[in-house]
Amino acid sequence: MPEVLVDIRDARRVYELDGREVVALEQATCRVRPGERIALLGPSGGGKSTLLHLMGGLDTPSAGSVTFPALGQASELRPGKVAFVFQAQSLLAPLTALENTALPLILGGMPEREAQLRAMGALERLGLASVAAQLPEELSGGQAQRVAVARALAGSPKLILADEPTGQLDSDSAKHLMDTLLKALEDRDTALVIATHDRSVADRLDTVWRMRRGVLKTIEGALA
Amino acid sequence: MSLVWFSGLLSRRPLRIWGAALGVALTVAFLACLGAFITSSTATMTARAVQNVPVDWQILLSPSADINTVAQATQMAGTRALEPVGYADVAGFSASTGTTVQTTGAGKVLGISNTYRTAFPKEIRPLIGSTAGVLLAQQTAANLHAAVGDTITINRLGLPPVQVQVAGIVDLPEADSLFQAVGAPKGLAPQAPPDNVLLLPQAQWHQLFDPQRVVRPDSVRQQLHVRLSAKLANNPRVAFSQVHQLANNLEVKLAGSAVVGDNLAARLDGVRADALYAQTLFLFLGVPGAILAALLTLSVAAASGTERRREIALLRVRGASTRRVLRLASLEAAAVSIAGVILGLGLAWLAQYLALPVGSSLGSVWTLLAVGLGILLALSAVLLPTLAALRTQTVSVARQRVGRSGVPLWQRLWVDVALLAVSAALFWRSAASGYQLVLAPEGVAKSSVQYEAFIAPLALWVGTSLLAVRLLEWALRRRAFTPALRPLAGNLAPTVAATLERQRGLLSRGAVLAALAVAFAVSTSIFNATYQGQSRVDALLTNGADVAVSGTTASPASSQLEALRAIPGVAAVEPLQHRFAYVGNDLQDIFGIDPAHLTQATKLVNAYFIGVTAQQALLLLRSRPDGLFVSQETVNDYQLKLGDPVRLRLVDARDHQYHVVSFAFVGIVREFPTAPKDSFLLANADYIAQQTHQSTAEVALIRVSGDRQQVAAKARALAQNLPGARVTELSQVQQRIASSLTAVNVAGLSRLELGFAVLLLAGATGLVLLLGLTERRRNFTVLSALGANSSQLGAFIWSESLVVVGAGSLAGLLIGLGVAQFLVKLLDGVFDPAPEKLALPWIYLGTLLVAAFMATLIAVGMARAASTKRVTEVLRSA
Amino acid sequence: MKALEAVDLYRFYHIADEETRALRGVSLSLEPGELVAVMGASGSGKSTLLACLAGLDEPDGGYVNVAGQRLTRRPEDERDELRAKFVGTMLQSDNLFEHLSVLENVQFAAILAGRDQSQAADWLKRVGLGERLHSRPSQLSGGELARAGLATALVGRPAVLLADEPTAEVDASTEILVLGELEAFCAQGGAALISTHSPELARRAGRVLRIQDGRLADA
């Protein structure tokens, strides 16, 4: 049995909002293993982002446990082992596409020149070499999201967590993005979890987990 | 409806409303305080000036006039005191001491009533003996070697001499105005007061000089001395016209039988120029602060531009007309105005107690002006961005301006460099011809300010600021800061530099605000320090030292030197000879000094001498025992060349007669502590003592390290042993020369401005960090999601702050120094001699640095807390 | 009388000496009760078309009538008034004022349209936000924002509803609710023109217009 990247047991997350308690996540239990392609499908506000943030160590559960057996401590996940792709506007506005892509590598301590070479490689693989010197505001929505994917891939992470990456794209651009992402991960061991409300996105992944009103229903995939 | 909109803004857009209101409040408070300070200082100047006039009016009667008619007419103008004074010219006085007889040159005999001294206490100061009866002026007594009880012979003109017995010796401190030529045409050189004066009771004077009037009518005149009872306006300009008109009315009424010597108007005439000068100077010091506060307010308002554009776009989509949008904005502007003005007046009220001198009042037209400007500022802060948003709204919809911003017009036209060139050109021109800030022709009721004089510093201010923006943007574009960022950001430095480059507009604007705040603080503090230092030099010039004991040759202060040195708090005591010497027929003051030690007790300024520094002058005297410094006037009169022998006549102690003493002319002296403004002489005390056989020094100069007042009190107790001696203290003198601007205490203004500067600096730094907050919060969220640790996040904020505060402070320091230089140059018109160099208040500048650093630290801390707060929440709502 | 009529609309933009033709002769008309979808890639001219139809942008050629009244070539004030009275607009996002509560937003929209604001709460209950009346927009999820936006667009009971990708960022349940409300609006005689990428929405529209390079191609 391959080692487990993320192990979530009975995790519950409650927020205080406006004086009332909002349960974002109820008693979720799930595991993510290397090479898995998981869709987290459900309506917005259903707790998908919360689960994703727990998986990436951005957030901690109110009850239950989240561990990273094959990755180490929660504080050691980023940059390097876990990479995020967000819905939109996750590029830093003052930095060019290349600088944005190199950023996680530099944050991880890589010398600038080497980081830029690696980042350029990642952009080239995704067919984005021509926009390397452009600022985010000069990119189309689809291009910007593909740069965000390149940024996630550049550091060769063990796990990529994507939160509605196609949310603001038209269907053609969304398909292009999914093609690019899946192709880039084709022969890799990297696990991928995509939170989405779009069934056409979910349909392209091996495993679909459903989420509604904070309740997670996992259907263990082939690797279980 | 508007109410819902408005209450929503008030409670949920606190920074937008209260931030702008706070800016308006600062502006209003500052202007109101500045106004209160100017009003109160002007009033003080007027009050002190009036207080110091010994006799308001000296009315000279024509020989044929009836004194009672004139007196009656004068009383109609409102008088508190009215005293007739007789003036008679005499050929001279003589007195015998033992076997020798001393005779003086021409003199004057005054007839006064026994109430005169109480009515005009400043005119006659009793030294020895009785205060009534026959009183002899001190210098005359010295010339005649006469003491109380001696008999003096008055050599009348055209009549036989008469003898009187001296009842007391007095000093006539205001001799210049007492013996002025009333009615002499303007522009005529003022005549020196007579060297020899005797005062007689009114009856006795009439008895002796009514006959002289018959034989020599030109030699005997009568004056009426008047103290007015009219309440004068606070503004010296108004008071001047008031008094001037009263005098004119009287002269018209008297139809030629009398001329009014209007001392009060003359004094107010001087003050009105000074007051205008003060007003302009304080305004020039203060206005940059107000401008800065206004800029800060506009920047705060501009910070909500994106938000406002979004709101307006949505309002338009929902069918709101331009008028309706403007109505909603006006409501917001009104709220900002009201909150700002109320808060501002509250702040001003508070500042009035904390920083301003007692007696300042906010109840002036200045406060109204401040409120008006505050409202205007609030309106522009809200309505300008609204109008801008409305304009872009109609021009295009949904069209984004993409790309990197272009170079602003002023940079392409090199406006900054042009302004600096203008400033430099004007400065050199003015420096060559001397600044003349205020034109107040004597006797004319109108005075004017040379506003052109302000163009040079203003151009410097604006030009340097713009140049700083250009340079900073250039450096940011070239990413010149990358190496400097290494220690802070490590391998992230190029990334941080790239971020800075793209934010250069915001950063350079912030840096300029910081620079202007620093410049304001620096120029104000340097000006203040120079002003205070110069004010002290000015007072030292008049008083001689912190405390001065002035005795007479008969009872010299040098007899008490040791006792004075023993007073606790005394740092040094130096003797100073003050005697009289004839240069030809002209009697001048001569000062004998110990050039090796004099500076231990007082301060000599280079401007006191011509052609040599103060240090060199003292060395000259030390190397030449018979060396003599004389006034320029004397050099001209006697065609002296350096090294020429000068023969003076001084009193020899052995026979009390004037004997010739030979000196060598070594240089020209303009001014000297305790010396009169006109001609005087300066020589070695040892040489004078040896030649006159009298080693005593009449004056003792005391430098105080402790409490001046206490030392002065102790010195006064000691001076009881010296008949006729007088002890004066520095602050007393500063009070006395108070009609001049030099005596206005600018400490209140400085406190106000410096406190304000620190607030502005903190505001400028905080503003920049706040302006980028929304953007930064998003960036930080992304950065932490990417795995940036807290020191990496900190690198971004710190480098922004360092660029703003660091570059801003550097530019501010330069601008501040430049502007201070200009301001001090403007002071040439106030101080005589002009300040030699800028005084740098290191302690204050250090405090400012610490305050700037603290402000940055707080702002960075707050920005970090705000930026990193609720990362997951920001993410969830994204 | 047609609810909305556009004849031969042209719109050009000049950006850095380069002329972009956003609309090149677009004509369309909607009868009362019609639900029409507009589909097209981003940059095809959809947004410009909607802006011209709402009277927010002035076309360089052609004209627009709303509820029988000329919207184009009129003083701005009159255009504003017509828009307030007859046109409801729902944007992809940013439909709400951040400083007002959800309820206040809907009330404010009613007032601007010259309608009774007392129905605001009812509208919010209808779109499932009955418990979020006093929340601020920043406290709502994406789906809730879209529902509130719908309420603000409909509370003024406009003759024409223009919606720009109303379901692009919402979950499935919200999409169903929004579609239901749009249909109900049209059933009561309103005309709706919706720009969308959603095949579901296109399927339920009575008519689909395709826009490409600033021209309509009938589907």
Side-chain angles (χ1 to χ4, degrees):
Chain A
M1 180 172 160
E3 48 193 335
V4 173
L5 298 176
V6 185
D7 189 354
I8 297 182
R9 293 180 189 213
D10 295 330
R12 185 180 153 85
R13 184 70 174 94
V14 182
Y15 294 105
E16 187 86 22
L17 200 74
D18 237 356
R20 16 169 225 157
E21 270 204 347
V22 178
V23 179
L25 190 66
E26 289 274 16
Q27 306 293 116
T29 299
C30 61
R31 285 177 188 164
V32 181
R33 298 187 175 82
E36 283 188 326
R37 307 280 183 267
I38 299 167
L40 201 54
L41 184 66
S44 62
K48 300 189 304 274
S49 299
T50 306
L51 184 60
L52 227 51
H53 293 164
L54 288 179
M55 286 179 173
L58 277 180
D59 200 1
T60 49
S62 314
S65 73
V66 178
T67 54
F68 307 93
L71 298 174
Q73 295 295 309
S75 58
E76 298 165 2
L77 300 179
R78 289 162 295 114
K81 294 171 183 167
V82 175
F84 272 95
V85 178
F86 297 103
Q87 185 169 349
Q89 294 184 329
S90 71
L91 300 182
L92 294 186
L95 300 183
T96 62
L98 180 66
E99 286 162 347
N100 260 294
T101 311
L103 190 55
L105 303 173
I106 291 173
L107 289 174
M110 189 181 284
E112 206 209 354
R113 187 147 295 282
E114 194 186 336
Q116 294 218 336
L117 283 174
R118 287 271 293 273
M120 198 62 209
L123 286 174
E124 276 168 2
R125 270 202 301 284
L126 299 193
L128 291 165
S130 60
V131 300
Q134 289 182 15
L135 292 174
E137 62 177 6
E138 296 162 339
L139 300 174
S140 74
Q143 285 173 331
Q145 279 304 75
R146 277 181 283 143
V147 170
V149 168
R151 182 173 67 185
L153 289 169
S156 305
K158 297 266 189 272
L159 172 62
I160 294 179
L161 300 168
D163 193 356
E164 300 272 13
T166 61
Q168 295 194 348
L169 302 183
D170 58 49
S171 48
D172 292 346
S173 306
K175 185 173 173 305
H176 188 181
L177 181 78
M178 287 305 294
D179 291 345
T180 313
L181 178 58
L182 293 174
K183 185 164 177 295
L185 290 175
E186 220 163 39
D187 323 314
R188 294 209 205 176
D189 209 14
T190 306
L192 172 68
V193 180
I194 299 181
T196 182
H197 68 265
D198 187 344
R199 183 181 294 275
S200 64
V201 170
D203 284 347
R204 304 191 56 181
L205 302 176
D206 306 337
T207 310
V208 176
W209 294 349
R210 290 180 182 276
M211 266 205 98
R212 182 173 281 271
R213 294 181 194 279
V215 179
L216 173 70
K217 287 178 186 157
T218 60
I219 303 150
E220 292 287 318
L223 294 168
Chain B
M1 175 201 75
S2 303
L3 208 67
V4 172
W5 175 269
F6 179 63
S7 70
L9 278 184
L10 215 55
S11 60
R12 292 166 196 147
R13 288 280 179 263
L15 184 70
R16 177 158 137 196
I17 304 281
W18 293 111
L22 199 67
V24 170
L26 275 179
T27 316
V28 169
F30 185 67
L31 283 176
C33 287
L34 191 64
F37 179 80
I38 290 177
T39 317
S40 82
S41 63
T42 318
T44 317
M45 284 168 87
T46 311
R48 284 196 184 161
V50 169
Q51 213 176 53
N52 282 326
V53 175
V55 174
D56 289 350
W57 283 353
Q58 288 174 240
I59 304 174
L60 178 68
L61 278 66
S62 67
S64 58
D66 172 35
I67 191 158
N68 290 323
T69 319
V70 175
Q72 257 167 19
T74 309
Q75 268 163 342
M76 303 282 280
T79 58
R80 262 192 297 148
L82 184 68
E83 288 281 343
V85 179
Y87 285 73
D89 293 334
V90 294
F93 305 100
S94 50
S96 52
T97 331
T99 54
T100 61
V101 175
Q102 287 84 28
T103 304
T104 72
K108 281 207 189 270
V109 178
L110 262 54
I112 57 170
S113 79
N114 50 11
T115 52
Y116 185 86
R117 216 173 63 81
T118 24
F120 302 105
K122 285 194 158 55
E123 290 286 16
I124 299 168
R125 197 169 63 89
L127 295 176
I128 312 164
S130 167
T131 56
V134 177
L135 304 174
L136 192 58
Q138 180 192 7
Q139 195 186 329
T140 316
N143 292 345
L144 294 173
H145 303 294
V148 174
D150 287 358
T151 301
I152 303 283
T153 306
I154 305 173
N155 300 317
R156 290 185 291 179
L157 293 171
L159 287 174
V162 288
Q163 291 197 324
V164 291
Q165 197 182 18
V166 176
I169 310 273
V170 296
D171 182 29
L172 302 173
E174 304 287 347
D176 281 336
S177 74
L178 185 61
F179 294 103
Q180 68 180 294
V182 175
K186 300 271 179 216
L188 212 67
Q191 75 191 63
D195 295 328
N196 301 296
V197 179
L198 184 73
L199 284 75
L200 294 178
Q202 190 85 28
Q204 196 176 2
W205 183 85
H206 278 294
Q207 190 193 335
L208 294 185
F209 291 101
D210 283 351
Q212 186 177 319
R213 172 155 32 182
V214 178
V215 289
R216 288 284 303 274
D218 62 306
S219 68
V220 180
R221 305 295 292 269
Q222 273 206 298
Q223 289 190 4
L224 283 173
H225 286 191
V226 177
R227 165 90 58 218
L228 292 170
S229 61
K231 169 100 181 65
L232 293 181
N234 277 340
N235 186 327
R237 222 173 327 159
V238 181
F240 170 76
S241 319
Q242 213 180 333
V243 174
H244 197 63
Q245 274 168 15
L246 272 180
N248 279 348
N249 283 346
L250 182 62
E251 280 187 346
V252 169
K253 222 182 282 176
L254 294 176
S257 60
V259 186
V260 178
D262 196 343
N263 297 338
L264 186 57
R267 181 63 65 95
L268 286 169
D269 193 20
V271 179
R272 101 198 133 93
D274 278 352
L276 193 59
Y277 210 116
Q279 191 169 324
T280 347
L281 205 58
F282 298 155
L283 268 182
F284 195 81
L285 273 174
V287 162
I291 293 178
L292 187 52
L295 282 180
L296 212 55
T297 311
L298 292 177
S299 302
V300 169
S304 58
T306 322
E307 187 178 292
R308 207 183 286 278
R309 265 194 299 282
R310 211 186 134 256
E311 271 168 21
I312 291 171
L314 192 52
L315 277 171
R316 304 277 293 136
V317 164
R318 298 256 176 272
S321 61
T322 311
R323 215 175 316 131
R324 183 160 231 165
V325 171
L326 281 176
R327 211 158 51 221
L328 289 175
S330 309
L331 203 65
E332 188 181 334
V336 170
S337 313
I338 293 170
V341 164
I342 291 177
L343 205 62
L345 290 180
L347 275 176
W349 184 80
L350 205 68
Q352 196 194 337
Y353 284 97
L354 293 179
L356 290 182
V358 183
S360 315
S361 154
L362 293 171
S364 73
V365 66
W366 281 94
T367 308
L368 275 182
L369 187 74
V371 168
L373 286 174
I375 291 173
L376 199 67
L377 178 62
L379 289 179
S380 359
V382 177
L383 292 182
L384 287 182
T386 304
L387 286 173
L390 277 174
R391 206 169 44 237
T392 55
Q393 207 72 43
T394 44
V395 168
S396 85
V397 179
R399 227 182 338 151
Q400 302 231 325
R401 231 159 298 149
V402 175
R404 311 170 199 219
S405 50
V407 181
L409 188 64
W410 66 262
Q411 285 196 15
R412 275 180 280 147
L413 294 179
W414 295 89
V415 171
D416 45 348
V417 176
L419 281 172
L420 287 177
V422 166
S423 173
L426 286 176
F427 179 72
W428 292 127
R429 216 193 62 180
S430 309
S433 61
Y435 259 109
Q436 196 71 27
L437 188 59
V438 171
L439 283 184
E442 265 181 58
V444 180
K446 265 174 73 173
S447 44
S448 60
V449 178
Q450 298 290 95
Y451 290 104
E452 301 92 87
F454 292 116
I455 294 177
L458 194 72
L460 176 79
W461 203 67
V462 178
T464 322
S465 311
L466 290 180
L467 184 66
V469 172
R470 178 197 291 280
L471 289 177
L472 186 60
E473 289 197 355
W474 177 80
L476 286 172
R477 211 162 29 234
R478 298 285 304 267
R479 306 200 185 172
F481 291 109
T482 314
L485 292 174
R486 288 260 176 226
L488 198 68
N491 68 338
L492 210 50
T495 311
V496 174
T499 317
L500 295 181
E501 183 202 336
R502 309 271 152 65
Q503 279 181 292
R504 59 181 181 274
L506 175 66
L507 291 177
S508 57
R509 242 178 306 148
V512 160
L513 283 181
L516 291 182
V518 170
F520 178 58
V522 167
S523 61
T524 306
S525 65
I526 291 179
F527 172 81
N528 183 35
T530 310
Y531 190 99
Q532 302 284 14
Q534 200 58 35
S535 180
R536 189 179 143 78
V537 166
D538 226 40
L540 278 179
L541 178 62
T542 308
N543 194 46
D546 291 334
V547 176
V549 182
S550 317
T552 58
T553 312
S555 48
S558 59
S559 63
Q560 302 290 329
L561 279 188
E562 288 316 311
L564 287 170
R565 283 198 178 106
I567 296 175
V570 167
V573 180
E574 276 300 311
L576 174 72
Q577 286 178 349
H578 179 195
R579 301 190 191 165
F580 299 93
Y582 275 104
V583 185
N585 284 326
D586 185 21
L587 189 64
Q588 292 189 7
D589 298 68
I590 182 166
F591 294 90
I593 62 166
D594 173 1
H597 299 108
L598 183 75
T599 50
Q600 289 178 0
T602 188
K603 189 175 160 61
L604 295 187
V605 176
N606 294 339
Y608 290 174
F609 301 91
I610 292 175
V612 290
T613 63
Q615 181 85 29
Q616 288 166 336
L618 291 177
L619 283 174
L620 267 173
L621 275 186
R622 283 173 76 172
S623 64
R624 190 87 203 243
D626 63 343
L628 179 75
F629 279 87
V630 307
S631 318
Q632 184 70 53
E633 201 184 312
T634 313
V635 175
N636 295 347
D637 288 352
Y638 295 91
Q639 300 285 311
L640 291 176
K641 287 187 198 64
L642 285 180
D644 279 357
V646 180
R647 293 159 64 83
L648 304 179
R649 283 180 297 137
L650 284 117
V651 174
D652 193 304
R654 289 173 306 187
D655 59 3
H656 300 294
Q657 297 290 331
Y658 282 96
H659 292 278
V660 170
V661 179
S662 197
F663 288 86
F665 168 56
V666 294
I668 304 168
V669 62
R670 290 169 61 197
E671 281 171 293
F672 201 76
T674 73
K677 293 280 174 204
D678 51 5
S679 303
F680 66 93
L681 307 157
L682 184 66
N684 275 307
D686 285 349
Y687 184 70
I688 294 175
Q690 179 205 334
Q691 296 295 320
T692 60
H693 304 97
Q694 177 115 8
S695 63
T696 53
E698 289 73 9
V699 180
L701 301 179
I702 306 172
R703 187 161 61 86
V704 176
S705 57
D707 184 341
R708 259 196 331 248
Q709 308 284 352
Q710 277 178 15
V711 170
K714 294 246 169 60
R716 265 183 207 113
L718 283 174
Q720 297 292 323
N721 308 329
L722 305 172
R726 189 156 54 128
V727 176
T728 52
E729 178 260 321
L730 201 65
S731 50
Q732 222 181 329
V733 171
Q734 278 174 323
Q735 293 257 331
R736 211 157 41 100
I737 53 178
S739 69
S740 155
L741 178 57
T742 49
V744 169
N745 190 355
V746 293
L749 183 67
S750 310
R751 263 200 305 277
L752 179 74
E753 299 198 335
L754 298 183
F756 195 70
V758 170
L759 275 183
L760 286 177
L761 185 61
T765 317
L767 180 75
V768 171
L769 294 172
L770 267 176
L771 279 179
L773 189 62
T774 324
E775 174 74 5
R776 191 181 316 103
R777 191 179 278 176
R778 215 177 59 71
N779 289 348
F780 270 38
T781 309
V782 174
L783 276 167
S784 25
L786 291 178
N789 58 35
S790 102
S791 71
Q792 285 170 327
L793 290 179
F796 282 90
I797 291 193
W798 268 113
S799 38
E800 279 177 40
S801 331
L802 287 182
V803 166
V804 169
V805 179
S809 302
L810 194 69
L813 204 66
L814 291 176
I815 299 173
L817 279 170
V819 172
Q821 183 71 55
F822 268 108
L823 287 175
V824 170
K825 200 84 203 149
L826 291 180
L827 280 184
D828 282 5
V830 181
F831 289 113
D832 185 25
E836 284 166 10
K837 60 180 194 307
L838 299 182
L840 293 173
W842 293 112
I843 294 179
Y844 170 74
L845 291 177
T847 315
L848 184 73
L849 202 71
V850 171
F853 184 72
M854 294 300 285
T856 313
L857 211 62
I858 292 169
V860 165
M862 278 167 52
R864 280 196 68 160
S867 309
T868 54
K869 209 164 57 183
R870 303 179 294 138
V871 165
T872 53
E873 275 178 52
V874 174
L875 275 177
R876 274 192 311 126
S877 66
Chain C
M1 185 185 69
K2 291 188 166 51
L4 177 68
E5 187 178 22
V7 177
D8 224 13
L9 295 184
Y10 280 87
R11 186 77 179 97
F12 312 123
Y13 292 133
H14 298 269
I15 299 173
D17 298 336
E18 209 173 303
E19 190 182 82
T20 312
R21 297 182 174 202
L23 296 178
R24 324 183 194 194
V26 172
S27 298
L28 58 84
S29 71
L30 269 74
E31 300 294 336
E34 248 194 316
L35 176 61
V36 177
V38 183
M39 300 190 78
S42 50
S44 59
K46 270 184 306 182
S47 301
T48 309
L49 176 62
L50 288 182
C52 286
L53 294 179
L56 288 168
D57 198 0
E58 186 82 318
D60 296 303
Y63 65 88
V64 176
N65 285 350
V66 170
Q69 304 211 39
R70 180 62 57 92
L71 185 64
T72 41
R73 310 270 175 274
R74 293 186 82 132
E76 206 174 295
D77 279 9
E78 294 175 24
R79 266 194 288 160
D80 292 334
E81 208 181 316
L82 287 174
R83 178 166 60 247
K85 209 163 156 191
F86 297 118
V87 184
T89 308
M90 183 179 174
L91 304 169
Q92 189 173 347
S93 58
D94 285 352
N95 280 299
L96 305 178
F97 294 105
E98 286 290 330
H99 62 280
L100 301 181
S101 72
V102 174
L103 178 63
E104 285 165 352
N105 259 292
V106 181
Q107 286 173 335
F108 197 71
I111 294 167
L112 284 175
R115 303 284 182 181
D116 186 4
Q117 53 168 313
S118 63
Q119 304 207 332
D122 292 342
W123 269 105
L124 284 169
K125 279 176 198 148
R126 196 164 151 176
V127 297
L129 292 175
E131 286 174 12
R132 309 288 267 149
L133 295 183
H134 303 292
S135 300
R136 292 184 57 193
S138 62
Q139 295 165 332
L140 299 187
S141 71
E144 287 172 327
L145 284 172
R147 293 167 194 223
L150 186 69
T152 55
L154 293 178
V155 70
R157 283 185 278 128
V160 179
L161 176 72
L162 301 171
D164 190 7
E165 312 230 20
T167 58
E169 287 178 54
V170 304
D171 53 276
S173 63
T174 302
E175 183 167 4
I176 291 166
L177 182 134
V178 169
L179 285 175
E181 284 303 327
L182 289 177
E183 283 172 344
F185 169 72
C186 291
Q188 286 165 16
L193 185 74
I194 318 292
S195 97
T196 186
H197 286 121
S198 159
E200 173 69 13
L201 209 163
R203 197 176 54 75
R204 291 169 72 165
R207 193 148 54 101
V208 176
L209 304 173
R210 293 193 186 277
I211 187 166
Q212 198 168 16
D213 297 329
R215 276 190 248 264
L216 282 185
D218 280 321

